[in-house]
């Protein structure tokens, strides 16, 4: 094995490591990564070799500027490599970890291969697990199917229960698509019943042609309604119980804190991808020859992160937003969103608008008043949970004044008689 370069990166970074490349045991119809295997010669083993794995781990540790060193294992499906492969990962991390520094591993999985042995390992090695679930059975199984087209929800639920039984720290990634976006309450309450404590909603946007999108892509306005509906329930009932990354990010500008997610940051480029053969790419959504920034066998990781092309990639996000965005009242909330989704046009015809803009803008404007109250409570050192009591009290007062055909005070957008006045809904709350 070649000696790892002893160079530290000048900024914090994340690497989405894909030691199995695009290999996956599922055939989710909306997956954007399965076809990335076409970048490599047919018949090539899509598996990071032991020597290359060790080189990557050693250089990642050297390049990390903070005491806590984070590894993120993605795919395809990383668990397809088998448990022994991940035992080797931990062994190599221990070999190269400097005294006094801590290593934390995260793994994103479809959950179908998780069993008791996996859970014992994940618990013992303190892995943080992200598991992909798109909601109740019918909504999840729309697109998340096996190579033979069979549903996967039952397997994933078994894996979720195992992770909970073994007390493995786990969060849920829910892809929001054209089917589940129309049932926000059912989706959110499903996750509440599962006991999910950390949740992220990822909007599905698959571009087709110049400005078209796939059939599975989430409708823009519906996505805004989806977030608003869930936010209204969360802010009244679940603050402090369920952490929803979308809402945490919306709160950050109001606290004067930089966004954590790259898609909402002013600039990006510090979340790179390493493929099974050591190739590095600018971003998980830009794995193509144009955005290949090097190979770890040729260039040290820290130098790849400092590559001028990678720096330019990050700055283009900030410099390329249209005037419509620069003048937007919620610019700080999204900073134009992910560059991969900037293929729409502004009302005055300028290119570069985020496809999701109308939905995101609706959500950011809708959520801002309660989030401003949360920010104020946090700055005052007052428990933010008090906001829930306050909002419910305000709802009660508004309900006392509301007529049957008035908009429901809870903010759902439904008529009062079809929402909180409906005894069937009360039984669900």
């Amino acid at each position: 094995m070649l000696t790892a370069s002893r160079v530290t990166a000048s900024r914090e970074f994340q690497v989405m490591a894909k030691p199995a490349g695009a290999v996956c045991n599922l055939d989710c119809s909306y997956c954007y990564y399965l076809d990335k295997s076409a970048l490599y010669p047919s018949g090539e083993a899509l598996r990071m070799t032991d020597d290359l794995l060790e080189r990557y781990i050693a250089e990642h540790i050297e390049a990390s500027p903070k005491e806590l060193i984070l590894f993120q294992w993605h795919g395809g499906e990383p668990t397809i490599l088998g448990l022994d492969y991940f035992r080797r990962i931990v062994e190599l991390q221990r070999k190269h970890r400097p005294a006094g520094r801590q290593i934390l591993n995260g793994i994103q999985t479809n959950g179908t291969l998780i069993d008791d042995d996996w859970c014992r390992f994940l618990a013992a090695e303190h892995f943080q697990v992200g598991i992909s679930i798109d909601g109740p059975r019918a909504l999840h199984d729309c697109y998340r199917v096996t190579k033979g087209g069979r549903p996967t929800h039952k397997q994933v639920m078994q894996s979720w229960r195992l992770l909970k039984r073994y007390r493995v720290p786990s969060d849920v990634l829910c892809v929001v698509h054209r089917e589940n976006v129309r049932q926000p309450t059912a989706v959110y309450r499903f996750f509440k019943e599962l006991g999910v404590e950390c949740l992220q909603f990822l909007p599905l946007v698959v571009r087709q042609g110049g400005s078209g999108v796939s059939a599975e892509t989430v409708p823009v306005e519906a996505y805004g309604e989806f977030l608003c509906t869930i936010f209204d329930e969360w802010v009244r009932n679940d603050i402090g119980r369920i952490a929803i990354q979308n809402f945490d990010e919306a709160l950050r500008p109001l606290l004067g804190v930089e966004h954590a997610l790259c898609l909402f940051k002013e600039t990006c480029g510090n979340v790179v991808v390493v493929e099974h053969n050591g190739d590095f790419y600018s971003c998980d959504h830009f794995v193509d020859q144009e955005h290949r920034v090097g190979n770890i066998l040729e260039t040290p990781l820290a130098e790849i992160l400092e590559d001028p092309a990678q720096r330019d990639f990050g700055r283009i996000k900030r410099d390329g937003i249209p005037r419509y965005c620069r003048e937007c009242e919620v610019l700080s909330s999204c900073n134009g969103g992910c560059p991969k989704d900037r293929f729409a046009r502004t009302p005055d015809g300028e290119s570069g608008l985020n496809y999701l803009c109308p939905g995101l803008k609706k959500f950011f404007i809708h959520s801002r008043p309660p989030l401003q109250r949360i920010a104020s409570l946090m700055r005052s050192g007052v428990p933010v949970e008090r906001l829930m009591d306050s909002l419910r009290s305000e709802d009660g007062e508004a309900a006392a004044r509301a007529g049957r055909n008035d908009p429901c005070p809870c903010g759902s957008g439904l008529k009062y008689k079809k929402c909180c006045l409906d005894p069937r809904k009360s039984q669900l709350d």
Side-chain angles (χ1 to χ4, degrees):
M1 175 186 150
L2 297 174
T3 303
S5 172
R6 294 186 175 278
V7 180
T8 301
S10 64
R11 55 177 174 163
E12 290 187 74
F13 65 90
Q14 296 180 49
V15 177
M16 297 181 72
K18 297 175 182 279
V23 176
C24 187
N25 61 321
L26 299 189
D27 194 18
C28 304
S29 61
Y30 59 52
C31 183
Y32 64 92
Y33 209 81
L34 288 176
D35 63 357
K36 300 304 179 183
S37 58
L39 291 168
Y40 300 98
S42 177
E44 177 180 314
L46 298 182
R47 181 186 180 97
M48 189 175 284
T49 63
D50 202 61
D51 285 350
L52 181 56
L53 179 66
E54 182 168 7
R55 184 184 187 110
Y56 162 61
I57 288 173
E59 290 204 14
H60 185 119
I61 290 171
E62 283 290 343
S64 298
K66 299 289 187 179
E67 290 302 307
L68 179 62
I69 303 165
L70 302 175
F71 284 86
Q72 295 288 343
W73 305 99
H74 285 250
E77 174 51 41
T79 62
I80 207 167
L81 292 165
L83 187 49
D84 285 343
Y85 193 93
F86 278 84
R87 290 191 177 109
R88 178 62 174 156
I89 285 173
V90 171
E91 178 184 324
L92 291 171
Q93 288 173 338
R94 288 185 176 130
K95 175 181 176 181
H96 292 281
R97 179 179 63 85
R101 300 187 71 183
Q102 180 184 358
I103 290 176
L104 180 64
N105 285 288
I107 184 170
Q108 183 66 39
T109 176
N110 61 40
T112 59
L113 301 177
I114 299 294
D115 58 16
D116 287 273
D117 288 341
W118 267 106
C119 287
R120 279 189 282 267
F121 167 79
L122 295 168
E125 300 299 339
H126 308 289
F127 270 62
Q128 295 190 346
V129 176
I131 187 167
S132 298
I133 310 174
D134 287 356
R137 181 188 301 272
L139 300 176
H140 175 94
D141 287 339
C142 285
Y143 304 123
R144 301 193 66 81
V145 296
T146 67
K147 298 294 186 185
R150 298 184 62 82
T152 61
H153 192 266
K154 182 177 180 180
Q155 290 173 278
V156 177
M157 289 301 95
Q158 291 171 344
S159 296
W160 173 258
R161 287 188 281 270
L162 277 176
L163 291 167
K164 296 294 285 184
R165 184 189 308 166
Y166 284 89
R167 299 182 179 179
V168 178
S170 305
D171 57 71
V172 166
L173 173 65
C174 174
V175 175
V176 185
H177 49 71
R178 68 171 293 112
E179 300 300 329
N180 60 7
V181 74
R182 305 185 191 283
Q183 300 188 47
T185 301
V187 169
Y188 182 53
R189 292 183 182 179
F190 169 78
F191 290 131
K192 288 173 68 170
E193 290 172 5
L194 280 185
V196 175
E197 296 178 352
C198 296
L199 181 59
Q200 179 187 2
F201 294 112
L202 180 67
L204 176 67
V205 181
V206 180
R207 185 176 180 178
Q208 288 186 346
S211 59
V213 294
S214 69
E216 301 94 342
T217 291
V218 63
V220 177
E221 295 293 347
Y223 181 58
E225 290 289 346
F226 178 91
L227 291 177
C228 290
T229 299
I230 293 176
F231 177 82
D232 287 339
E233 179 159 341
W234 173 82
V235 80
R236 287 165 172 78
N237 302 287
D238 300 313
I239 296 175
R241 300 187 186 102
I242 302 176
I244 299 180
Q245 193 173 43
N246 309 68
F247 303 162
D248 289 345
E249 289 296 319
L251 176 63
R252 281 175 169 266
L254 305 179
L255 292 171
V257 178
E258 184 183 11
H259 284 291
L261 281 179
C262 59
L263 73 159
F264 291 139
K265 287 186 175 183
E266 187 176 32
T267 61
C268 59
N270 64 340
V271 184
V272 295
V273 168
V274 61
E275 260 284 349
H276 68 288
N277 70 337
D279 282 344
F280 270 83
Y281 295 91
S282 294
C283 168
D284 187 50
H285 292 286
F286 291 86
V287 176
D288 52 45
Q289 288 302 327
E290 181 184 352
H291 294 93
R292 180 183 177 275
V293 288
N295 186 291
I296 201 170
L297 293 173
E298 304 162 353
T299 309
L301 171 57
E303 292 183 21
I304 289 174
L305 294 167
E306 302 296 333
D307 188 283
Q310 185 64 12
R311 289 284 193 172
D312 288 344
F313 175 83
R315 285 191 288 264
I316 287 171
K317 181 188 180 193
R318 176 195 61 205
D319 299 340
I321 60 173
R323 181 173 59 85
Y324 179 80
C325 293
R326 298 182 191 280
E327 297 174 354
C328 179
E329 62 187 294
V330 292
L331 173 62
S332 64
S333 297
C334 76
N335 287 301
C338 184
K340 82 175 181 70
D341 298 330
R342 294 182 182 179
F343 54 85
R345 290 188 175 274
T346 66
D348 58 2
E350 188 177 359
S351 62
L353 183 68
N354 194 305
Y355 164 81
L356 294 166
C357 174
L360 287 172
K361 187 172 183 178
K362 178 182 180 68
F363 163 67
F364 289 132
I365 291 174
H366 176 82
S367 63
R368 179 158 287 191
L371 290 176
Q372 286 174 328
R373 293 170 69 174
I374 290 176
S376 178
L377 291 171
M378 293 177 70
R379 285 191 288 266
S380 300
V382 178
V384 295
E385 289 81 358
R386 289 191 184 179
L387 179 61
M388 295 189 291
D389 293 333
S390 177
L391 287 174
R392 288 197 295 263
S393 176
E394 292 168 14
D395 289 347
E397 294 172 2
R401 300 189 299 269
R404 288 172 53 82
N405 292 311
D406 290 338
C408 187
C410 77
S412 67
L414 299 173
K415 290 184 178 181
Y416 184 35
K417 68 181 179 182
K418 294 289 187 180
C419 192
C420 292
L421 187 62
D422 187 341
R424 291 172 298 177
K425 183 178 186 298
S426 299
Q427 291 168 8
L428 292 172
D429 288 342

